[in-house]
Amino acid sequence: MKVAVLGAGAIGAYVGAALHRGGTEVHLIARRAHLTAMREHGVRVLSPRGDFTARPHVTDDPAEVGEADFVFLGLKANSYASCGELLTPLLGPETAIVAAQNGIPWWYFHGLRGHPLEGRRVETVDPGGSVTAVLELGRAIGCVVYCSTVIEEPGVIRHLEGTRFSLGEPDGEISARCKVLSAAMIAGGLKAPVEPDLRNDIWIKLMGNVAFNPLSALTRATMAQMCEHEDTRELVATMMTEALAIARAAGADPEISVEKRIDGAWRVGHHKTSMLQDLEAGKPLEIDAIIGAVVELAGLTGVAAPALRYVHAAVSLLDHTSKVPVGSH
């Protein structure tokens, strides 16, 4: 089995290193200093589960890799529509694309059998079909990441917690390709259950992301600070309640309470969300998949979601103003 990791950042390099350790042929496609360090020294993983070093092939040229059985996307969802030039050399007739993204995936209504919105495009994450044109729906395998990693320095991945990567087909089939990928990930020391309805996992994770990510960017607060501030905790609960209603209207039924989800976030402690980290690093904010698409689904399903709409408006403006020099219009 041959796996190409397109976007070998913190998560991508960690997954690639684990797969390689488990015996899979792995090719990491990375950039700049991280690329050079991994070429020279391999991928060093520092983890409470035990440190290890893996030495898969590393390149910045997908043409060197050629067709793969699986392409693991370690890119942010807002890069999907523009990754075609990098992705094309990796695709053969049967290549599957494993999208380890936050939020609502571009394939959400694909294969949602019997639902009134089956086959509908989620414009926020697939505007005009631009993502589907690059990432064909038939190739998509969903992946929900319950894992936290950071690049401590080029070529060095700090694994903080979690090893679960839930996999699933959009139509819910327990497919042979999912089983093969799951087995390879498990051989590398990861948890990789194949779920009959991955949408439930998507929403359980998204309940936290849709509230904590934008609010952290707006307030510069950590997870613990948002949970411990009474008014903000109430706003988080309201946003999560709205998200649960949207999830059920959009064909999922996540079995988790709002209080349990908030308490789980509080236990993470003084952790900065990915959106706050991106803001502080001057990177684009991953707004569309995390909250914009949820607001779109609220409109499609007729669910009132005023708190989500207001927070979405505010964080969208923040994303805009953070790119505009002071004094400019």
Side-chain angles (χ1 to χ4, degrees):
M1 191 176 84
K2 180 178 178 180
V3 176
V5 179
L6 180 55
I11 288 291
Y14 174 66
V15 170
L19 284 166
H20 184 268
R21 180 173 65 165
T24 296
E25 178 187 347
V26 174
H27 302 263
L28 302 182
I29 301 163
R31 297 180 297 175
R32 297 190 289 273
H34 195 45
L35 164 74
T36 302
M38 291 192 296
R39 273 179 169 166
E40 293 179 357
H41 307 294
V43 183
R44 292 175 54 209
V45 176
L46 308 179
S47 171
R49 298 170 58 87
D51 301 345
F52 68 95
T53 299
R55 296 183 178 275
H57 174 237
V58 184
T59 183
D60 60 356
D61 182 6
E64 286 185 14
V65 178
E67 295 180 4
D69 297 301
F70 296 91
V71 176
F72 184 93
L73 284 185
L75 306 170
K76 291 288 183 73
N78 49 19
S79 301
Y80 287 177
S82 60
C83 75
E85 186 175 341
L86 294 171
L87 182 65
T88 298
L90 306 172
L91 299 180
E94 303 298 325
T95 304
I97 297 173
V98 185
Q101 68 164 96
N102 285 322
I104 299 293
W106 82 100
W107 53 260
Y108 188 87
F109 289 118
H110 174 63
L112 191 58
R113 294 170 180 165
H115 193 277
L117 293 173
E118 181 184 4
R120 178 78 180 237
R121 185 166 65 229
V122 184
E123 286 291 336
T124 310
V125 292
D126 189 15
S130 57
V131 173
T132 298
V134 176
L135 309 179
E136 300 170 37
L137 292 170
R139 297 185 184 273
I141 292 176
C143 179
V144 179
V145 178
Y146 296 94
C147 173
S148 178
T149 58
V150 295
I151 299 176
E152 188 151 294
E153 61 183 81
V156 180
I157 306 300
R158 172 73 65 178
H159 171 229
L160 302 173
E161 61 176 353
T163 59
R164 180 178 166 188
F165 293 78
S166 296
L167 305 172
E169 295 281 359
D171 65 1
E173 179 187 356
I174 306 298
S175 66
R177 65 181 187 175
C178 278
K179 290 179 181 178
V180 167
L181 179 60
S182 172
M185 295 177 79
I186 291 168
L190 305 176
K191 296 178 182 178
V194 181
E195 302 290 352
D197 193 342
L198 193 68
R199 291 173 182 83
N200 292 336
D201 280 58
I202 288 171
W203 282 101
I204 288 171
K205 184 175 182 182
L206 183 53
M207 278 177 65
N209 285 343
V210 77
F212 289 116
N213 270 271
L215 289 175
S216 70
L218 291 165
T219 64
R220 305 298 205 277
T222 65
M223 300 282 278
Q225 287 172 324
M226 287 183 282
C227 292
E228 291 166 0
H229 185 267
E230 185 176 345
D231 290 341
T232 304
R233 185 183 179 105
E234 184 177 344
L235 176 55
V236 167
T238 299
M239 294 173 71
M240 287 187 175
T241 300
E242 291 178 356
L244 268 178
I246 296 164
R248 289 170 179 140
D253 189 19
E255 295 182 0
I256 190 167
S257 71
V258 167
E259 279 306 313
K260 183 176 180 181
R261 191 68 181 83
I262 293 175
D263 288 343
W266 175 75
R267 286 194 296 272
V268 171
H270 289 287
H271 170 74
K272 293 182 179 180
T273 70
S274 60
M275 195 175 287
L276 177 54
Q277 292 178 47
D278 285 346
L279 180 68
E280 292 179 341
K283 297 178 181 178
L285 305 187
E286 201 175 10
I287 292 171
D288 290 344
I290 289 177
I291 187 168
V294 178
V295 170
E296 180 182 346
L297 264 58
L300 290 174
T301 56
V303 176
L308 288 169
R309 292 183 185 278
Y310 297 150
V311 171
H312 178 235
V315 78
S316 296
L317 179 57
L318 172 65
D319 188 41
H320 172 72
T321 55
S322 65
K323 301 170 186 171
V324 178
V326 175
S328 300
H329 298 284

